[in-house]
Amino acid sequence: MNFQRIELEHWHRKPYFEHYMKAGKCSYSITANINVTGLLNSLRDKKVKFYPAFIYMVSRIVNAHPEFRTAFHDGQLGCWEQMNPCYTVFHQEDQTFSALWSEYSRDFPRFYQNYVGDIERFGDKKGLWAKGKFPANTFSISSIPWVDFTSFHLNLANSDHLLPIITNGKFFSDGKETYLPVALQCHHAVCDGYHAGVFINELQKLTDSCREWLVR
C-alpha cells in the first residue's frame, strides 16, 4: 500500500508537529457517547453483527482524513493511502484476546465478507497475533464490552505512535435511547481537538445514516 512521505519543511503542520514531538510531547484521549438506537434496530433487521459494523464506520472515518493516516514508517514521516483495521477478539474460555486485521473496503458488504472470512479462519486461534504478520498500514480498535465507561486512556510508552486508537465500551440506556461509549486516542503532533471533533461527529452521522450504507 502506498506511503506518501511528508516533506516536513513544506508541511503546514510543521510547527505543531515539532512542538508536540519535542517540547510538549503528548497524546490525548476523548470519550463520547454515540446514540446507536437506530443502528441497532437496523442491524437486527438485517441480521448483521454490531462489531464489524462499528469497525467499518471507524475505518471509513480514518480513511477519509489524512490526519488519522499519518505515521512513521521505516523511519520516515508520511501518510498511508489506505488503512486497514486491527481489532481484538475475546476468548471466553481463558479470558485472553487475539488481534486480527481485515482488509478495508468502503463497500460495506465487501468489508463484512472480509471480516467474516477472517473470523471464521482465525477467530479461534490463540495468541496475541492470531493472523500472523500484520501489514504496516493498520490502526488499532479494541473493545471493553463489560464496562459503560465515561473515560478511557492508554498510557503509551512509545510516544512516536501517531495513529489513532479507538476503544468502545458497553451499551447503556437512558430509558429511551441506547448509547455506546467510544474513546478516541490521538497524538497531538498530528491531530488537534478539531480533528477529534470531526471523528466523533462523523461517527454519529454514519450511525444515523446506517440505512444508506448497510446494504446486504
Side-chain angles (χ1 to χ4, degrees):
M1 184 53 61
N2 185 39
F3 182 78
Q4 183 65 44
R5 182 181 175 185
I6 292 174
E7 297 292 341
L8 188 59
E9 291 302 316
H10 304 291
W11 192 29
H12 72 286
R13 284 197 62 87
K14 178 187 175 183
Y16 307 94
F17 179 82
E18 290 183 334
H19 175 76
Y20 289 113
M21 288 298 295
K22 297 176 182 178
K25 182 179 285 190
C26 71
S27 62
Y28 66 93
S29 61
I30 181 172
T31 301
N33 296 325
I34 304 299
N35 189 324
V36 294
T37 308
L39 174 63
L40 292 177
N41 290 334
S42 296
L43 293 174
R44 196 174 300 113
D45 292 342
K46 300 281 187 180
K47 295 181 173 56
V48 173
K49 295 180 179 180
F50 171 79
Y51 197 32
F54 176 76
I55 295 171
Y56 167 81
M57 292 189 295
V58 167
S59 300
R60 183 163 162 174
I61 298 169
V62 166
N63 279 287
H65 301 281
E67 292 81 10
F68 301 129
R69 292 181 276 112
T70 301
F72 286 110
H73 178 56
D74 290 338
Q76 300 293 327
L77 176 67
C79 182
W80 290 104
E81 180 182 1
Q82 177 174 299
M83 299 294 298
N84 297 311
C86 167
Y87 50 91
T88 55
V89 177
F90 185 67
H91 303 298
Q92 181 62 51
E93 57 272 22
D94 61 1
Q95 291 80 53
T96 62
F97 71 91
S98 297
L100 299 181
W101 69 275
S102 293
E103 184 176 354
Y104 170 71
S105 172
R106 184 180 170 87
D107 179 65
F108 177 71
R110 180 175 297 178
F111 174 75
Y112 193 79
Q113 184 178 30
N114 292 342
Y115 170 88
V116 170
D118 288 325
I119 290 295
E120 289 178 348
R121 185 176 178 184
F122 304 104
D124 292 334
K125 288 191 175 182
K126 300 295 181 62
L128 186 57
W129 313 111
K131 195 177 175 180
K133 185 177 181 180
F134 278 54
N137 60 322
T138 57
F139 71 98
S140 299
I141 300 172
S142 61
S143 180
I144 308 178
W146 309 277
V147 183
D148 54 343
F149 55 72
T150 56
S151 180
F152 180 78
H153 180 74
L154 290 164
N155 298 308
L156 295 178
N158 177 14
S159 56
D160 291 339
H161 183 90
L162 303 181
L163 294 172
I165 301 174
I166 298 93
T167 306
N168 73 275
K170 179 182 179 181
F171 298 115
F172 69 93
S173 175
D174 64 358
K176 295 181 180 179
E177 307 289 333
T178 302
Y179 296 88
L180 180 76
V182 176
L184 168 69
Q185 180 141 330
C186 300
H187 200 299
H188 212 336
V190 294
C191 288
D192 302 324
Y194 169 80
H195 305 105
V198 166
F199 182 94
I200 296 299
N201 291 331
E202 289 194 5
L203 181 57
Q204 185 64 70
K205 288 179 181 178
L206 280 174
T207 302
D208 295 339
S209 63
C210 62
R211 291 190 178 275
E212 297 177 6
W213 53 264
L214 188 60
V215 180
R216 289 194 70 219

